[in-house]
Amino acid sequence: FLLPILNRMIKDKPKNDVLQALILVPTRELAVQVRDHANDVFELMDSGKEQAIALIGGIYWEKQKRLLLKKRPAIVVATPGRLVEHFVKDILLYKVFSKLRTLVLDEADRLLDPGFETDLRVIMHNVPNAHRQTLLFSATITRSITAVKQVTLESALYFEEFVGIKVVKNCAHEYCLVPSKVKDVFFVHLLNNIDSGKLRSVIVFAGTVYACQLLQETCAILGIDSVALHALKKQRQRVTNLSRFKSGQVGILIATDIASRGLDIPFVDLVIHYEVPAFSRDYVHRVGRTARAGRWGKSVALVSQHEVALIHQIERITGVDMIEVPGIREADVLKDIARVFAARRGAKLKMSEAGGFDDHLRERKHRNRA
């Protein structure tokens, strides 16, 4: 969606006070990525300055306000929560958006979820719709997307490249049946043995912030170099960890689903689902991090006895037939049980000593699963 917006700017040569586009995305990491891509193109256009800014959480609000009012950017990329915060704290901010030409909802299926509903209502109230083009992009078609299609009827252009939910091509889909109590042991064995020596980068998806941090701490104790990416990390640490992974300094990224959408990481050889996602669309987005630009990739799901039904659902909806990971013998895996369990206990202790981290994340874990 950036290229048509920029192309129109070249043709129309708008005034400096006209905001060309507001791009809403669900995560901070995606917002930064879109902003950087836009500014890369502006640089090629010899515009002389960066004309896109990002409004995201984890950065001082006042600093972002100064950028917005003084630089008068052509493009604003924002997460809904932070943009609403700007509207609430500065009632005159709507003037910046008074001549907005294009509104983009990237990852629209996620933005139209109930969790973003209140924020979107506030944003729509502060963004004029006169002469505004609205664009929605989504890799998966959900009920909310279908509802928008039905409401707009003939007044909107609807284009669907694929019918149904499609997973990325050139990706092998595998599973490993594991008892839930020893899933960590199988996980460590998988990291140490699957395609040994051939993997440059691996993304591990955990279902909750607690599980994500616990896995990373466990890996650290076991001497497995990795970084974590989740909502409770400070923004500076999130940027640093993602940069280290993208640059190849660290080969393993352990993340929640904030890393599953839109992030363009050129070389991801393997995606591991430590916990099987509850919704098939999340599986589609996760595996979309590998096998990009015609490359090959692999997805491996660690499936406990409680997650078998979820795997069958994913297979049915996506049309993917998963095969069992070859060559894994339970007797070989369990040889490491004492070492992994000791590391897990040490990780829990470290998180508990970190100032209430343990209790807070356990509460969130139970709430998310409910």
Side-chain angles (χ1 to χ4, degrees):
F1 51 79
L2 280 175
L3 292 179
I5 292 170
L6 296 171
N7 186 59
R8 187 173 64 185
M9 287 180 59
I10 295 174
K11 289 183 177 181
D12 296 352
K13 297 181 180 179
K15 296 180 181 179
N16 291 334
D17 64 340
V18 176
L19 181 62
Q20 293 298 301
L22 169 61
I23 302 168
L24 298 177
V25 297
T27 67
R28 300 176 186 178
E29 286 71 26
L30 185 52
V32 171
Q33 177 177 287
V34 173
R35 177 204 64 190
D36 291 345
H37 284 177
N39 283 326
D40 286 344
V41 179
F42 279 128
E43 185 177 348
L44 293 173
M45 292 166 56
D46 295 324
S47 66
K49 64 176 182 177
E50 294 183 344
Q51 297 188 50
I53 68 169
L55 303 181
I56 59 174
I59 297 176
Y60 288 118
W61 172 82
E62 293 84 357
K63 179 180 179 180
Q64 292 181 342
K65 178 184 175 181
R66 287 195 297 270
L67 284 175
L68 191 60
L69 296 179
K70 290 183 179 181
K71 292 186 67 172
R72 283 301 176 114
I75 295 175
V76 171
V77 190
T79 52
R82 173 46 63 98
L83 183 56
V84 167
E85 186 178 353
H86 277 278
F87 284 135
V88 170
K89 290 184 176 180
D90 187 347
I91 59 175
L92 298 178
L93 191 65
Y94 74 90
K95 292 183 178 180
V96 176
F97 298 86
S98 61
K99 298 179 182 179
L100 178 67
R101 302 192 66 184
T102 302
L103 172 65
V104 178
L105 273 66
D106 193 17
E107 304 292 342
D109 62 325
R110 179 70 184 93
L111 291 176
L112 294 176
D113 278 348
F116 285 105
E117 180 179 355
T118 301
D119 289 340
L120 284 183
R121 288 182 183 276
V122 174
I123 291 170
M124 294 305 179
H125 179 74
N126 285 275
V127 175
N129 58 13
H131 311 296
R132 184 193 76 207
Q133 181 186 38
T134 302
L135 306 172
L136 286 76
F137 291 85
S138 176
T140 51
I141 304 303
T142 60
R143 291 181 180 178
S144 55
I145 297 290
T146 303
V148 171
K149 175 185 174 183
Q150 292 172 345
V151 169
T152 55
L153 296 176
E154 300 300 323
S155 63
L157 171 66
Y158 179 85
F159 174 76
E160 187 173 354
E161 184 176 2
F162 301 107
V163 178
I165 295 180
K166 300 291 184 181
V167 294
V168 64
K169 296 180 179 179
N170 301 331
C171 181
H173 300 268
E174 299 180 355
Y175 69 89
C176 182
L177 291 174
V178 302
S180 59
K181 292 184 178 181
V182 290
K183 182 178 277 194
D184 285 0
V185 186
F186 275 81
F187 168 70
V188 171
H189 181 84
L190 196 66
L191 283 182
N192 289 331
N193 293 277
I194 190 168
D195 294 336
S196 181
K198 299 179 182 179
L199 298 178
R200 290 166 295 183
S201 60
V202 180
I203 297 183
V204 181
F205 284 105
T208 64
V209 174
Y210 179 82
C212 177
Q213 186 65 28
L214 183 59
L215 278 180
Q216 199 276 325
E217 297 286 2
T218 301
C219 284
I221 294 174
L222 292 171
I224 300 172
D225 198 12
S226 66
V227 291
L229 183 66
H230 57 68
L232 288 189
K233 287 283 185 184
K234 292 183 178 180
Q235 182 59 27
R236 181 178 297 178
Q237 191 63 56
R238 287 168 67 162
V239 171
T240 299
N241 287 355
L242 187 57
S243 297
R244 292 183 65 202
F245 178 70
K246 294 177 73 172
S247 66
Q249 295 179 44
V250 178
I252 301 173
L253 173 68
I254 303 174
T256 58
D257 279 316
I258 65 171
S260 68
R261 288 176 172 270
L263 294 187
D264 186 16
I265 304 171
F267 301 101
V268 176
D269 300 311
L270 173 65
V271 168
I272 297 178
H273 311 268
Y274 177 78
E275 290 165 309
V276 179
F279 301 101
S280 300
R281 65 169 179 170
D282 292 331
Y283 179 85
V284 172
H285 287 284
R286 287 180 179 185
V287 299
R289 298 315 100 214
T290 187
R292 299 177 71 83
R295 301 183 182 92
W296 287 90
K298 180 182 288 188
S299 166
V300 176
L302 296 176
V303 186
S304 71
Q305 63 271 31
H306 310 297
E307 298 170 309
V308 174
L310 293 176
I311 285 294
H312 288 324
Q313 175 181 291
I314 291 171
E315 288 182 317
R316 183 176 66 256
I317 293 177
T318 62
V320 168
D321 291 323
M322 298 188 193
I323 63 172
E324 190 167 5
V325 177
I328 292 185
R329 296 174 62 248
E330 186 171 329
D332 294 334
V333 175
L334 296 182
K335 289 179 181 178
D336 247 359
I337 189 170
R339 190 169 70 96
V340 175
F341 275 19
R344 184 180 175 88
R345 287 194 298 271
K348 286 184 176 180
L349 180 61
K350 183 177 179 180
M351 289 169 64
S352 181
E353 292 174 346
F357 192 86
D358 185 84
D359 293 337
H360 176 78
L361 292 182
R362 281 184 183 279
E363 180 182 347
R364 174 176 288 199
K365 176 181 179 182
H366 293 311
R367 184 170 66 248
N368 287 348
R369 287 189 168 176

